[in-house]
Structures are given as C-alpha cells and as structure tokens.
Amino acid sequence: MRAARLIKMVLLLQARPSMTAAELAAELEVSERTITRDAQALSEAGVPVYADRGRTGGYRLIGGYRTRLTGLGRSEAEALFLSGVPGALREMGLADAASAARLKVSAALMPSLRDASQNASQRFHLDAPGWFRETPAPELLPAVADAVWDDRRVTARYCRQDTEVERELEPYGLVLKAGVWYLCARVPESGVYRVYRIDRFTAVVAGEERFARDEEFDLPGFWEERAEQFARAILRSEAVVRLSEAGVRQLPYATDRAVAREAMGTAGEPDAAGRVTVTLPVENEDVAYAQLLSLGPEAEVLEPPGLRARFAEAAARAAALYR
C-alpha cells in the first residue's frame, strides 16, 4: 500500500512543477505528516525530492528527474479510455485504476502538454442519468464488470417477473442507459445474445473458465438494434389524436422523439381550425393517458373510445375545479 502511494507521489511531482504538503495530502488521502515521512523515504531511496520552505514552498523534483515507472497496466489502459465517464468508473470499481493511468500519462508528457488533462476535464463532462432520478449503482456491478474484463463465465441469478432464474452467461459488455446498467451476454447452451438489467441480479459468481469471445461481436451495434426492437415491441397500441400547432411542437416532449416523428408522418392536411390528425403508437392506454395529458387542450383524443372517455372525464373534473 505504501509503495503504491510513494510511486503515485513521484508521478504527481513529475507531472507538476511543485506541490504543497496540503495538496499532496489531499491527492493521496493521507495526513501532511505522512507526506513529510514519505518525502524523506523517497529521498533516502535516491529520488531527489526537495522541500522548499516558506509560505509559497512545497515539494518538487530536482534536476529534471524522470521516473521510468510510467508503463500502463491492462486495467489502467482500459480505464483510461473510460475516463470521460467518472461516475461509471466509480460504480464499476475502476476509479483508482483510471487515476493512476492519468497520472502516468501526465508524467510521460512534455511539460508544455501537462495541462492537457485539466483542459479536457474543464471542457467535457458526461452526466449519464436523467434529471430528477436517483439511480444507485447495482451492488453486483463491480463483480459483473470484473467478469466482463476477464472474459469469465458467470453463474447469475436474476428476478424475472415473480420467479428467480439461474443461468450460466458469457458476459460480453456493459451498457449504461439513462442511469441504468445493462449486461449484454451470450447464453452458452443456445449461443443467443440477451440483455439483462444488472439491478435485477441477486447473485453473480464468476468461474475460473474463460470463454472464447466472438471478435466480430459489435457491442454498440448490438445495443442499438436491441434498443430499437425493445422500443417497437412495447408500442402495441395506437391512439388517433388531433393536434393544434402548439401540440405538434410539444409532442416530442410528451413522448419519445422517434415515435413523435413517426406519428407526424401520418398527418394529413390541417383542418379549418389549423389542427392535424395523427396516429400515435403507444404502449397502452394508461401510458398514452399520462403522456397526452401533458398537452392539455392542444391535443384532442379521437380514438380509442375508452381513452377519449377518460380525457372527457378529466376535462370535466378540471373545469369544475376552475369554476
């Protein structure tokens, strides 16, 4: 543990001209007294760490000292490519590996390029979860992520409706969609690729056996295809809706944008009131009611009759409230 901290301290000093004891203590999550002892240990080991005294003082390396301890390990190199998604790294248990990788890259760069990491982090940040939703990371995510990195088969138990199912899986890849983690895996006995929500796993045990990965498997392409299939599969009903101009503009915000585009493709010419009639794919009447209610008087449901009756009742109750 201490050896890793000493290496990290050298890399920090190599990446920056000078750092105070307080800055080093914050980076390494130790006390300033520990930093003093570590600097002394490095000096005794032949690393030229010099301490400047005074208010503006700090620690620095003398004479352009360069460590050769900058080779990236496998986990660090893999984590570096994900360094733009810090939340995802933390949830998968890779935050430390990514931090070490960034330090090694910074230490290997020319002095004129050492601000590249800071420049990038100040100009790009990915916040994956949707607004007003708190989605805690699944407890078993780090175990699943380890199996994905190592190409190890897992035995997983997961909830499917009211039952718990156990299945052997070959974990191919992880997808973070709107704050929810999914596993794309192949079922060995059938060779079929499936998608599983990781928060529905109740147990994951990785075996010693590694599986032979299909090198032609394309995770982004597979996910895009399955996501489109899922989106179409849940749209089992239709609603015929008459929209005002404002309703047309607001429809993409009330439902999925792709669904709204499809609905507008069915629109005819505007009627005398300037309204257009569209056929909107919906999951069911309950979902359609919740979505279209947000459009208020800018949408009139024509079909199905049961949904139109619900809107008529809602309109009557709203009118009674505002009399």
Side-chain angles (χ1 to χ4, degrees):
M1 183 70 178
R2 191 191 185 198
R5 188 176 71 242
L6 292 174
I7 291 173
K8 192 171 183 179
M9 182 174 175
V10 173
L11 291 171
L12 283 167
L13 293 174
Q14 188 170 310
R16 307 180 194 180
S18 176
M19 294 184 71
T20 66
E23 290 172 337
L24 285 167
E27 287 278 359
L28 300 174
E29 298 180 346
V30 295
S31 67
E32 292 186 34
R33 181 172 295 181
T34 298
I35 293 299
T36 301
R37 290 198 296 265
D38 285 352
Q40 180 65 30
L42 287 171
S43 181
E44 292 173 357
V47 178
V49 178
Y50 180 77
D52 290 315
R53 306 295 180 183
R55 284 191 312 151
T56 60
Y59 291 94
R60 60 185 175 87
L61 294 175
I62 302 175
Y65 176 85
R66 308 283 294 177
T67 177
R68 295 179 181 271
L69 299 174
T70 53
L72 291 178
R74 172 173 289 276
S75 64
E76 294 167 346
E78 290 167 338
L80 186 62
F81 287 102
L82 296 172
S83 58
V85 283
L89 283 168
R90 185 171 56 253
E91 292 175 3
M92 287 190 291
L94 293 173
D96 289 343
S99 175
R102 285 193 294 270
L103 280 173
K104 289 182 178 182
V105 170
S106 295
L109 292 174
M110 295 184 297
S112 61
L113 297 178
R114 285 180 186 159
D115 62 347
S117 175
Q118 182 179 2
N119 286 347
S121 65
Q122 293 299 324
R123 288 164 173 78
F124 175 77
H125 176 71
L126 176 63
D127 185 9
W131 286 102
F132 311 117
R133 292 179 58 192
E134 191 162 333
T135 51
E139 183 180 344
L140 295 173
L141 176 60
V144 176
D146 286 344
V148 169
W149 288 124
D150 290 340
D151 292 340
R152 292 190 184 276
R153 286 188 177 181
V154 300
T155 301
R157 293 186 65 82
Y158 64 97
C159 295
R160 186 171 67 184
Q161 296 178 348
D162 297 330
T163 61
E164 196 172 68
V165 179
E166 182 174 290
R167 181 158 287 169
E168 187 176 3
L169 300 173
E170 295 176 348
Y172 264 66
L174 294 169
V175 175
L176 177 60
K177 170 71 171 179
V180 179
W181 284 95
Y182 296 87
L183 172 67
C184 300
R186 184 171 61 184
V187 181
E189 58 192 32
S190 64
V192 175
Y193 293 92
R194 299 187 184 278
V195 177
Y196 301 88
R197 275 186 62 145
I198 296 179
D199 58 7
R200 293 180 182 166
F201 285 164
T202 58
V204 174
V205 178
E208 294 299 320
E209 182 183 0
R210 284 187 166 88
F211 63 89
R213 176 178 287 268
D214 181 358
E215 298 301 330
E216 294 184 0
F217 178 78
D218 175 21
L219 179 61
F222 171 78
W223 175 259
E224 183 178 0
E225 179 184 345
R226 287 304 171 92
E228 185 177 342
Q229 289 176 0
F230 173 76
R232 295 305 310 165
I234 64 174
L235 300 176
R236 301 186 180 94
S237 302
E238 291 181 341
V240 179
V241 185
R242 189 164 167 260
L243 298 170
S244 67
E245 291 184 11
V248 170
R249 292 194 300 269
Q250 295 170 21
L251 185 62
Y253 302 98
T255 185
D256 182 79
R257 289 180 179 272
V259 173
R261 285 197 301 270
E262 182 177 336
M264 292 311 303
T266 66
E269 292 296 322
D271 59 19
R275 291 178 174 251
V276 295
T277 299
V278 302
T279 300
L280 178 70
V282 296
E283 184 174 347
N284 53 51
E285 285 194 13
D286 290 335
V287 173
Y289 178 76
Q291 292 175 334
L292 296 174
L293 196 61
S294 65
L295 299 182
E298 308 306 328
E300 177 191 358
V301 175
L302 303 179
E303 296 178 15
L307 184 59
R308 180 176 174 85
R310 290 178 68 176
F311 272 92
E313 180 191 4
R317 285 191 285 122
L321 289 174
Y322 288 97
R323 284 199 185 109

